[in-house]
Amino acid sequence: MKSIVFLIQCKDQKGLLAGITGFFAGRGYNILHCQQYTDTENAQYFMRLKLEDEGQFDHAELEAAFTTQANEMALTWSVRYSETLYRVALLVTKASHCPFDLLLREYENELTCDIPLIIGNHPDLEDMARQFGKPFYHLPITKDTKQQQEAQIKALLAEYNIDLVVMARYMQILSEEFVQEFAGKVINIHHGFLPAFQGAKPYHQAYERGVKLIGATAHYATAELDEGPIIEQDVARAQHDDGPADLVMIGKDVERLVLARAVKAHIEHRIIISGRRTIVFAEGA
């Protein structure tokens, strides 16, 4: 079944549900799912609407008509069509657990997307890319070549028509210009439970503080390190006799799961960014 997913946000007001759903019902669309959330603290309204796509209207015609409706109701919106797969680029360094997991999930259709390339600042994961039949681009980086290296990354993203960039344990800080250009389109996995233990070696920081829970955080990349809107988090228990190396091993499983959930939510068009927060609608709808 083909489907269309609209994500909508606006100031809260009366008549939103009736006005939005009535627009689609009046044009013969079957509404498969409707999820909504009202942020009463800030008087903001959010909706995810999934429609059955039986070809009633050309997509461009539908968007033009809804633009008029959205302008009348002061809606901010985006739309995604199920027939168009997200094209996802992986940025990697040396750690294989997160990119390997995403590639395996794509291979087994747990992630309905296309990962057409992998970019690494070290050559270590070229064999992994070869296992999955993916082209691997080794783009080394130094302090002096950062600007040129990012220009090469951007060129590849444009060449492959990439919709989403995933920093799958890519141990480099993207420039402010890069993350602004791709705002809301770059997901990073941080091996710590943000906002605690930001920056380098979060597992060592956790060990030094003697925490009983360690975690991982998937968030959208912004110019401020580890400060982007959080998409997904999870934790695992730590014991007093777990050293830093033990915490790293425990944390790898959490990182895999958290990053996969975040990517899945994004490609299923279930996330709305609202300031420093995200609204993540439930899976399965």
Side-chain angles (χ1 to χ4, degrees):
M1 179 189 299
K2 293 181 181 179
S3 62
I4 307 171
V5 176
F6 278 84
L7 291 177
I8 299 166
Q9 60 179 309
C10 62
K11 293 289 291 184
D12 190 28
Q13 55 191 285
K14 293 180 180 179
L16 285 170
L17 181 62
I20 296 169
T21 58
F23 170 88
F24 294 108
R27 286 161 175 77
Y29 284 97
N30 179 30
I31 298 175
L32 300 173
H33 299 282
C34 179
Q35 296 173 283
Q36 53 184 329
Y37 163 66
T38 302
D39 177 359
T40 56
E41 294 291 328
N42 298 293
Q44 291 290 319
Y45 177 83
F46 305 90
M47 173 187 278
R48 181 180 187 267
L49 196 66
K50 184 175 182 180
L51 312 170
E52 185 176 1
D53 187 3
E54 298 177 303
Q56 293 95 323
F57 292 90
D58 174 78
H59 291 166
E61 185 181 356
L62 172 63
E63 291 179 34
F66 190 70
T67 296
T68 301
Q69 178 80 6
N71 290 340
E72 293 176 359
M73 301 180 70
L75 310 177
T76 300
W77 60 280
S78 63
V79 63
R80 193 77 190 182
Y81 304 95
S82 63
E83 63 192 46
T84 305
L85 292 181
Y86 265 90
R87 293 175 62 80
V88 181
L90 301 185
L91 299 185
V92 302
T93 297
K94 294 183 178 182
S96 64
H97 58 287
C98 283
F100 193 97
D101 181 72
L102 293 176
L103 290 166
L104 185 61
R105 290 176 188 271
E106 180 215 16
Y107 178 78
E108 295 185 345
N109 294 318
E110 292 180 26
L111 288 176
T112 309
C113 65
D114 180 16
I115 303 176
L117 82 161
I118 302 168
I119 301 171
N121 63 316
H122 288 275
D124 299 55
L125 300 186
E126 187 169 2
D127 285 344
M128 178 198 70
R130 190 178 296 113
Q131 282 182 270
F132 287 92
K134 307 290 186 180
F136 182 87
Y137 294 88
H138 175 214
L139 303 180
I141 184 173
T142 67
K143 290 182 180 179
D144 297 328
T145 63
K146 184 179 182 68
Q147 186 174 0
Q148 296 92 318
Q149 191 253 17
E150 286 195 349
Q152 290 176 298
I153 293 176
K154 290 179 184 180
L156 286 170
L157 300 182
E159 178 183 344
Y160 282 87
N161 297 312
I162 295 301
D163 302 300
L164 175 67
V165 178
V166 178
M167 301 173 68
R169 289 302 301 270
Y170 181 64
M171 305 307 288
Q172 294 290 324
I173 299 173
L174 297 174
S175 70
E176 182 175 353
E177 293 76 18
F178 190 104
V179 294
Q180 286 180 347
E181 182 175 344
F182 294 92
K185 298 178 181 179
V186 181
I187 294 177
N188 180 50
I189 181 68
H190 178 70
H191 43 308
F193 194 79
L194 295 176
F197 307 135
Q198 297 181 350
K201 295 190 174 182
Y203 291 125
H204 290 73
Q205 296 180 54
Y207 171 75
E208 290 167 3
R209 290 297 305 272
V211 301
K212 308 311 177 193
L213 292 172
I214 59 168
T217 304
H219 64 92
Y220 288 110
T222 60
E224 298 77 27
L225 180 64
D226 297 332
E227 291 283 353
I230 292 171
I231 305 168
E232 180 63 49
Q233 294 180 293
D234 210 337
V235 296
R237 293 206 64 83
Q239 304 299 325
H240 64 272
D241 55 353
D242 288 328
D246 300 309
L247 299 184
V248 169
M249 292 301 297
I250 296 169
K252 283 183 176 181
D253 283 339
V254 184
E255 293 166 35
R256 293 183 185 100
L257 185 58
V258 167
L259 182 57
R261 286 175 182 167
V263 172
K264 193 170 191 290
H266 186 99
I267 65 176
E268 290 178 353
H269 213 48
R270 292 192 282 112
I271 307 173
I272 297 177
I273 299 175
S274 177
R276 298 185 66 185
R277 303 176 62 223
T278 61
I279 286 75
V280 183
F281 290 103
E283 185 176 358

